Amino acid sequence: MISDSLMAGTRYRFDRPDAPPPVVRVDLLESLDDGHEAALLAELAAATQGAPTTVLIGLSALTRYDPRLRPFLLALQAQISGEGGRAVYVSDRPRLRGVALWVIHMSEDSQAKIVPNMAAALEWLRITDERVSSAEERTLSRLERLEGERGERR
Amino acid sequence: MSRSRSEDLRFGERLALRVIDLISTLYLGYKPPVNEEAFRTLGVRGYAKWSGATGRTMKVLAEGLGEAESQFVIGFSGLWLGCGYCGAGHIHAGNLIIYRDRDALTPLDDATLRELYDTPDSEAVARLHELLCAPEHARLLGLITRLYELRGGAEPVTEDDAYLELALSCWDWVTECTIVVGLEIPFESVPPLTPLAKNRKLLRSYAEARARESKADTEGE
């Protein structure tokens, strides 16, 4: 689904899909300096041309947390939401999922999502949901079912 | 989200927050640093629904999985999502219950949690098997590793799975607000996130036991 590398940066990889829906994939391979950050944001702007685009942000290649990551992801998220797009962050490490959660919470983007692997990201691309209300609905539904079952046993 | 978190709290919201902070302090023994963020994000009604559901979830999980086990399950649900506050605080509570009831310490101390916080999921399960290999931890190991499997996309099958899925969805909701403090907070500074935080005698005794364990480990090296 995702192919055609546009440019192979030394610290990030940038790809676009070969078919709709419009998805851009950005994999951060190591910490970015100011120059790489600016280049990536510019590359994203050139790829989306201001159109609402789903951006898949891969963090799984990062092996440690760099404090520079937070402000950069905040800027990246602002650019994506500013164009009406949505973001999905992929990370297999708890701390980096926490960074992504902090970013999407501070950005007040209820559409953005964090997933642990690429399979979950591709699954998420097929659906539309609102993160917080979805968690609320699932919780209340499961809670009512378990409370009901426990009540019947008493 | 029901209100914009960047807006200042209105007078009525500030008043309600003071009442909630007071009730929290009386109930838990400390003022949770996340109440204000929850008000800013969810509003007063949203906060009431969020905290009410969280309390009910904790009760159901304790009844279904066991008091200590439920705290570990909640803690790992939060830690997996990246919230160190939820992770350290609920696992601290689970550790205290085991220490109180069985006079035992689990291998899940703050240093180990910091390590797991940075460990990729694929390695975390193997590490948990190493840490919780003793027979007395079999139930805990089973629950936590199953939690990782469900997070990874496994289909729920067992009765325990229904409780684990509840913990996962509820902490998806909870960490939306707790993450504002959950990223940078030192694990050692997080109190147990239950009324056990008021039991100063238990907290002191547990800290002393951990210190003795640490000293023995150092001398054994």
Side-chain angles (χ1 to χ4, degrees):
Chain A
M1 182 176 182
I2 295 169
S3 62
D4 294 343
S5 178
L6 289 175
M7 171 184 169
T10 53
R11 298 190 186 188
Y12 66 86
R13 191 171 53 232
F14 195 94
D15 301 274
R16 68 178 178 186
D18 51 11
V23 178
V24 168
R25 174 172 170 180
V26 179
D27 283 288
L28 303 189
L29 305 178
E30 56 182 285
S31 297
L32 305 183
D33 59 22
D34 289 345
H36 282 97
E37 288 176 2
L40 199 162
L41 293 174
E43 217 171 324
L44 179 63
T48 60
Q49 297 283 308
T53 305
T54 296
V55 182
L56 195 156
I57 301 149
L59 304 175
S60 292
L62 300 177
T63 55
R64 65 184 183 85
Y65 168 57
D66 179 339
R68 287 183 60 105
L69 185 62
R70 263 206 286 178
F72 170 66
L73 289 182
L74 211 48
L76 183 63
Q77 176 67 48
Q79 186 166 321
I80 296 164
S81 343
E83 292 177 342
R86 62 178 191 159
V88 56
Y89 295 80
V90 185
S91 175
D92 63 351
R93 287 172 202 263
R95 187 194 296 263
L96 292 173
R97 285 193 287 264
V99 171
L101 179 56
W102 184 90
V103 165
I104 62 179
H105 176 78
M106 290 300 178
S107 306
E108 301 186 55
D109 185 333
S110 60
Q111 297 286 318
K113 183 83 172 174
I114 301 156
V115 294
N117 52 49
M118 201 49 68
L122 297 178
E123 175 69 22
W124 178 82
L125 291 177
R126 299 194 294 111
I127 59 165
T128 303
D129 73 349
E130 204 273 346
R131 187 179 68 259
V132 183
S133 56
S134 164
E136 178 183 329
E137 283 164 21
R138 282 181 290 122
T139 300
L140 294 176
S141 152
R142 289 168 180 170
L143 191 52
E144 279 159 23
R145 192 174 69 242
L146 283 169
E147 284 176 335
E149 286 172 7
R150 297 193 67 79
E152 284 171 16
R153 279 186 214 153
R154 286 187 189 121
Chain B
M1 293 174 222
S2 51
R3 83 189 285 289
S4 172
R5 66 169 301 282
S6 52
E7 283 175 21
D8 286 339
L9 292 178
R10 291 183 287 272
F11 176 74
E13 290 173 323
R14 286 201 307 273
L15 199 62
L17 175 60
R18 289 187 69 168
V19 172
I20 291 297
D21 278 345
L22 181 64
I23 293 170
S24 300
T25 306
L26 291 171
Y27 180 64
L28 294 169
Y30 63 92
K31 186 175 87 174
V34 297
N35 283 350
E36 180 172 345
E37 183 62 27
F39 267 73
R40 296 183 75 92
T41 304
L42 305 167
V44 176
R45 277 190 192 176
Y47 173 87
K49 194 191 273 189
W50 180 78
S51 67
T54 304
R56 284 165 59 200
T57 295
M58 287 172 69
K59 183 169 182 282
V60 165
L61 293 178
E63 289 170 356
L65 299 175
E67 186 187 5
E69 289 79 2
S70 68
Q71 289 298 318
F72 284 105
V73 162
I74 290 168
F76 274 95
S77 298
L79 192 76
W80 189 96
L81 288 160
C83 182
Y85 175 75
C86 293
H90 286 288
I91 293 169
H92 190 174
N95 275 321
L96 279 170
I97 295 163
I98 285 185
Y99 178 70
R100 181 195 66 194
D101 296 349
R102 304 176 208 169
D103 194 22
L105 297 173
T106 77
L108 301 170
D109 59 11
D110 290 331
T112 303
L113 296 185
R114 271 196 304 275
E115 174 202 327
L116 289 170
Y117 196 40
D118 282 314
T119 303
D121 300 333
S122 56
E123 295 169 25
V125 172
R127 182 69 179 121
L128 285 164
H129 275 278
E130 282 174 12
L131 290 164
L132 299 172
C133 59
E136 64 268 28
H137 301 313
R139 166 85 171 140
L140 194 53
L141 175 65
L143 288 170
I144 300 170
T145 52
R146 184 63 183 153
L147 196 75
Y148 274 75
E149 288 172 5
L150 291 170
R151 265 295 177 213
E155 287 296 318
V157 179
T158 66
E159 189 179 334
D160 280 349
D161 286 354
Y163 290 103
L164 297 174
E165 291 251 292
L166 171 62
L168 292 172
S169 60
C170 190
W171 258 260
D172 277 344
W173 192 9
V174 167
T175 53
E176 186 67 34
C177 299
T178 57
I179 195 62
V180 293
V181 294
L183 204 54
E184 301 284 0
I185 197 163
F187 287 5
E188 295 79 2
S189 71
V190 184
L193 301 181
T194 71
L196 279 175
K198 288 191 290 192
N199 189 337
R200 303 290 174 203
K201 190 177 168 193
L202 177 64
L203 292 177
R204 193 167 50 248
S205 175
Y206 173 76
E208 287 167 0
R210 280 286 183 207
R212 283 195 299 277
E213 177 192 56
S214 178
K215 191 177 174 199
D217 286 350
T218 308
E219 287 171 356
E221 282 171 2

